[in-house]
Amino acid sequence: PFTSKEVNPLNSLDRWEEDVLMRYPEPDTIAKDKTTDAYRNYDTPERDTVREFYRLNHTYQTHDFVQEKRSDFLKFDKKEMPVWEAFDFLNQLVDDSDPDTDLDQFQHLLQTSEAIRADGHPDWMVLVGLMHDMGKVLCLFGEPQWAVVGDTFPTGCAYSDKIVYPEFFANNPDYNNADYNTQLGVYSKNCGLRNVDMSWGHDEYVYQMMKDHLPDPALYMLRYHSFYAWHREAAYDYLLDDHDRGMLKWVKLFNPYDLYSKCPTPPDWKQLRPYYEDLVAKYLPATLKF
């Protein structure tokens, strides 16, 4: 059993995303008096909750833990809901104590999808924007935050120093496990990410939920949008195959919409609803299994 601090080290799930934005600021949003290095200062007091979050994440996200969660949650036997009811369910994650936003989870997703649509991308990518955080409902099934959000990374092989707070992996049992602590670990060279067990969280969960309904570029966006060590830091090349390298451009295309599309103005759902109801009906079944 985990203590309350271990379950909820962050005061809001959005805190992790704010931290990612600090690590990877949009170039034209960097203040003139603040260098990029300043955004990478992990020692300020306000970052303590983020450090604690990653200490827990890197300690407990073992290869065996990932197998356990896959076995439990990928049966999709917890709940079944109409798609639009699922968004109401997701909105239960709104944190009234978060001073930075008055928008619920669904409105954040609408902002992402609307930014993608405004730039003329394919409608399946618009749907990725709408669905990419649906996996955060894992928190509503009692999962601790460190098993729902956070940068993702391969398990079953040595940890890259490009992962945020890599020093915390020294607490992970796999760190000293001879089966897992070599460069390739349980994998073979250039085996392809589809054969790699990533740390457990909302990315893998929503990918598994959507994998029979969307094209491959969309699925890469969903599955790897939090794998910053790969798509931002170019780590783990030795695990990639040519298909992964071809798909990287799609993950990179999606990432800015995930990070930079939030604004305080809520979307006009009454006006947007017909478009999104048609879009969801085009690609997804009437109900989603969780």
Side-chain angles (χ1 to χ4, degrees), residues 184-257:
L184 292 176
V186 300
Y187 309 112
S188 57
K189 188 174 176 61
N190 304 125
C191 62
L193 290 177
R194 66 187 176 279
N195 295 309
V196 172
D197 289 326
M198 301 293 293
S199 56
W200 178 251
H202 74 286
D203 298 49
E204 182 67 20
Y205 185 56
V206 74
Y207 156 75
Q208 294 285 350
M209 192 184 299
M210 297 284 114
K211 67 180 181 180
D212 295 329
H213 307 298
L214 292 172
D216 210 21
L219 298 179
Y220 265 76
M221 293 173 181
L222 291 171
R223 197 176 199 180
Y224 302 113
H225 67 271
S226 303
F227 187 10
Y228 288 93
W230 175 42
H231 63 75
R232 283 299 191 112
E233 304 288 352
Y236 292 103
D237 184 71
Y238 43 86
L239 294 179
L240 308 180
D241 63 13
D242 288 341
H243 186 63
D244 297 324
R245 296 185 181 100
M247 289 291 109
L248 178 58
K249 63 186 179 187
W250 292 106
V251 182
K252 284 179 171 288
L253 179 64
F254 173 73
N255 184 245
Y257 295 104

Side-chain angles (χ1 to χ4, degrees), residues 97-111:
S97 69
D98 184 356
D100 296 322
T101 180
D102 293 322
L103 302 185
D104 59 32
Q105 296 289 322
F106 180 58
Q107 288 172 318
H108 279 316
L109 294 174
L110 268 182
Q111 287 184 336

Side-chain angles (χ1 to χ4, degrees), residues 38 51 53 65 72 74 76 90 93 108 111 124 140 152 179 221 239 241-242 246 257 263 268-269 272 281:
R51 285 179 58 86
F53 168 83
F65 175 83
D72 184 8
L74 299 188
F76 292 105
L90 181 67
L93 286 173
H108 279 316
Q111 287 184 336
W124 53 259
L140 299 173
T152 58
D179 292 330
M221 293 173 181
L239 294 179
D241 63 13
D242 288 341
Y257 295 104
C263 67
D268 184 348
W269 174 234
L272 297 175

Side-chain angles (χ1 to χ4, degrees), residues 22 25 27 29-41 44 46-47:
M22 291 180 72
T29 65
I30 300 176
K32 289 184 173 62
D33 61 347
K34 196 169 189 179
T35 66
T36 303
D37 288 341
Y39 282 95
R40 291 179 173 272
N41 180 2
T44 54
E46 60 268 23
R47 303 296 288 281

